[in-house]
Amino acid sequence: MKTSLLRTWLTASLGLCAAVASAQQVDSLSFIRSKRMSDADLAKKREGLFVTGLPDLSSDPVTGFGVGVKTNIIWNGTRDNPLFAYTPYLTRLRANAAYFTTNAREFTLSLDVPYYKGTRWRYRVDFKAQQNPANLYFGSSEATLGRLRLPSNPDVTFATYAQYDAARKTLRPGQAGEAAEVTDALSNRFRETEFMLNLKADYALGKGRWRVMGGYEIQHLSYDTFQGTKAEATRNGEETTAPNGTSLLQRDAQQGRIFGLDGGWVSILQTALIHDTRDFEPDPTRGVYFEAANEFSSPVIGSQFRFNKLFFQGRAYRKLPVGPRTVLAGRVGVGNIFGKEAPFFEFQDQWSPDGSINALGGRQSLRGYRANRFLARSLAFANAELRIRLADVKLGKQNFGLGVAPFADAGTVRDRWQDLGLRDVRFSYGAGARIAWNLSTMLYADYGVSKEDRLFYFGIGQNF
């Protein structure tokens, strides 16, 4: 009898302890309650380990048509895991490789572990090896807001990129240091070769809406321009070839307008303060995201360059009572680079813990303009999208959401952050198609329009 009572007491005690421990575990996750997924999205989320791998077919006006493979190895855990409804995944390993018709190639690896073992820590590791001979350069000051100009004759301007592209292929007499007769077909292009390793960790504060992040990045960069390279040319309307003239990037380096053309080692300390209430990071339906991000580079930490980059970004998402899933998404970004001799390549993007943003032009900022069309020390831009879900389709164990996304973009650049304002703002607009594959993988196709160009992009990932 005593043994039976003791067994009953032990069973009840252990059960109570387990219940208390479970309750404590759930309570310890209160810092991410605001990030709970919608019931509709939660019902579609898969359990366990799965792979989303697909051929990477992409198109960009600068890098050309690309083929490759994109894979995500995702571990979601089970539905009884307290984290299941609050995180996009428990662990994701992403491996991408791509080759483009412009001879650009890229390989990336990315490991992301949000809320590691139910704690407030998130860890990320990224590696990239890439070479791109199709980078564009139009200058690195607010003068790029003007009309397109030939490097060899800046007094001649063009209203559209098509006119400019045709004119720079026209043969002209060579100047000092050039062949007798040259073309400018490649004078706005340069080749970049990069190897990069980045380590980041962030910690959730309070109820989890605020996070602080620290990271370290090491890069090796090298650059080539194409003066003297045989390139396309036209003589009296007929196609031919000729040596390329002096590149605009080389001219600016020789005149002391830019620094860093010789490349080298870049060592960077990264810090950020983040406010994030998005319900599902890959494709949010509600919430806001704000960050103040900073990159510091100096010979003190082993860098060959000295600069400091500060970037502020805000995003907002609101689900509208129209259709099964209609989301109004908006973003505003403002950045500045400090340092008298900051290298030109740092003007090309703004670093964000949520993914760097190419500036200013291209798919990530102004979709109606070519990448890097507007560059200067300071920039500001805004994007708006109406993401409309038209249908949800299930094929076997795969879930697909089909939608469209009309959008509008705006942005400008300045030589001093104090001069940022609404003067000389450039606009683009357009529409896109979206396919959500198992929620976490987004496929896009966007067509952007500006007064200068008409551009088409497709690939993987939401713009923001």
Side-chain angles (χ1 to χ4, degrees):
M1 186 69 165
K2 290 182 179 179
T3 303
S4 178
L5 288 172
L6 180 60
R7 184 183 296 112
T8 301
W9 179 82
L10 285 172
T11 301
S13 298
L14 291 172
L16 179 61
C17 288
V20 170
S22 178
Q24 288 177 340
Q25 183 183 22
V26 171
D27 183 63
S28 71
L29 298 175
S30 61
F31 63 91
I32 56 172
R33 291 302 179 203
S34 64
K35 298 177 72 62
R36 190 182 190 280
M37 298 169 60
S38 68
D39 291 339
D41 285 348
L42 184 58
K44 300 170 191 172
K45 187 176 179 181
R46 289 184 58 179
E47 293 184 283
L49 180 72
F50 63 95
V51 178
T52 60
L54 70 163
D56 178 17
L57 301 177
S58 62
S59 179
D60 183 276
V62 176
T63 55
F65 181 77
V67 296
V69 61
K70 283 184 178 287
T71 60
N72 285 309
I73 303 175
I74 296 173
W75 169 244
N76 277 342
T78 57
R79 291 185 180 276
D80 58 4
N81 187 316
L83 288 169
F84 190 84
Y86 301 92
T87 60
Y89 39 76
L90 295 181
T91 303
R92 184 194 67 194
L93 176 62
R94 174 177 288 168
N96 300 337
Y99 178 82
F100 298 84
T101 51
T102 55
N103 202 33
R105 69 286 302 272
E106 179 179 88
F107 175 73
T108 61
L109 285 172
S110 177
L111 177 67
D112 185 15
V113 186
Y115 305 111
Y116 175 70
K117 290 186 176 181
T119 70
R120 295 171 178 266
W121 287 99
R122 180 175 194 162
Y123 300 104
R124 301 185 189 186
V125 180
D126 297 290
F127 170 79
K128 177 168 68 174
Q130 66 96 12
Q131 184 178 90
N132 185 0
N135 289 288
L136 292 178
Y137 179 77
F138 300 92
S140 57
S141 73
E142 62 185 67
T144 55
L145 290 168
R147 286 161 56 114
L148 292 159
R149 301 171 185 271
L150 291 175
S152 58
N153 189 359
D155 293 332
V156 179
T157 64
F158 304 90
T160 69
Y161 192 87
Q163 295 171 349
Y164 164 77
D165 194 43
R168 65 181 184 165
K169 295 177 183 178
T170 303
L171 283 172
R172 63 171 177 83
Q175 299 173 354
E178 298 178 332
E181 199 172 36
V182 298
T183 175
D184 285 319
L186 301 177
S187 294
N188 284 81
R189 291 185 179 266
F190 65 94
R191 178 188 290 111
E192 178 184 67
T193 304
E194 175 187 13
F195 296 93
M196 181 275 291
L197 177 65
N198 182 270
L199 310 173
K200 294 190 292 286
D202 66 56
Y203 184 82
L205 303 173
K207 295 183 178 180
R209 297 184 178 184
W210 289 93
R211 309 199 311 268
V212 290
M213 195 224 75
Y216 175 74
E217 181 171 297
I218 184 73
Q219 295 174 291
H220 186 270
L221 300 166
S222 58
Y223 296 94
D224 295 296
T225 53
F226 297 102
Q227 49 266 35
T229 302
K230 285 285 187 179
E232 295 178 306
T234 59
R235 178 188 286 113
N236 300 323
E238 295 185 2
E239 295 183 0
T240 183
T241 61
N244 198 72
T246 303
S247 74
L248 177 59
L249 187 58
Q250 185 69 48
R251 290 174 189 268
D252 281 1
Q254 291 170 349
Q255 296 171 11
R257 295 179 180 176
I258 63 103
F259 303 91
L261 185 55
D262 293 332
W265 288 98
V266 188
S267 179
I268 300 173
L269 290 179
Q270 300 168 327
T271 54
L273 176 65
I274 303 165
H275 179 65
D276 188 2
T277 64
R278 294 172 297 174
D279 57 345
F280 188 65
E281 291 178 22
D283 188 23
T285 64
R286 60 177 170 80
V288 297
Y289 177 91
F290 167 80
E291 67 183 16
N294 190 80
E295 286 192 310
F296 170 77
S297 182
S298 168
V300 173
I301 56 172
S303 180
Q304 293 180 235
F305 303 93
R306 191 190 305 272
F307 62 87
N308 197 76
K309 293 175 69 173
L310 184 61
F311 180 58
F312 298 95
Q313 179 184 189
R315 309 179 193 173
Y317 306 88
R318 184 176 180 85
K319 189 174 182 180
L320 303 180
V322 180
R325 194 179 193 275
T326 301
V327 178
L328 179 62
R331 173 174 66 177
V332 175
V334 180
N336 189 74
I337 303 174
F338 300 91
K340 184 178 180 181
E341 296 186 359
F344 80 95
F345 48 80
E346 291 298 333
F347 288 49
Q348 297 177 102
D349 65 68
Q350 294 296 315
W351 175 73
S352 163
D354 210 43
S356 293
I357 302 165
N358 287 346
L360 187 62
R363 186 185 81 85
Q364 294 180 305
S365 53
L366 293 178
R367 282 164 276 193
Y369 290 92
R370 308 262 164 165
N372 297 339
R373 174 62 183 89
F374 310 110
L375 286 188
R377 188 172 293 273
S378 303
L379 86 165
F381 64 93
N383 310 103
E385 291 187 358
L386 189 62
R387 299 169 180 174
I388 305 169
R389 181 67 56 83
L390 301 178
D392 288 292
V393 178
K394 187 169 184 178
L395 300 175
K397 294 184 178 181
Q398 309 300 313
N399 293 296
F400 298 92
L402 311 179
V404 296
F407 61 81
D409 308 320
T412 191
V413 297
R414 292 290 187 274
D415 294 331
R416 302 190 320 145
W417 64 267
Q418 296 94 329
D419 296 330
L420 285 172
L422 299 179
R423 177 175 55 87
D424 290 330
V425 176
R426 298 295 175 260
F427 299 93
S428 68
Y429 62 92
R434 300 288 186 272
I435 299 176
W437 180 14
N438 287 334
L439 298 181
S440 299
T441 303
M442 296 299 303
L443 312 179
Y444 72 87
D446 285 346
Y447 183 73
V449 178
S450 71
K451 64 180 183 180
E452 194 174 278
D453 227 333
R454 306 285 188 273
L455 303 172
F456 178 71
Y457 314 82
F458 67 84
I460 296 179
Q462 285 281 26
N463 194 29
F464 60 93

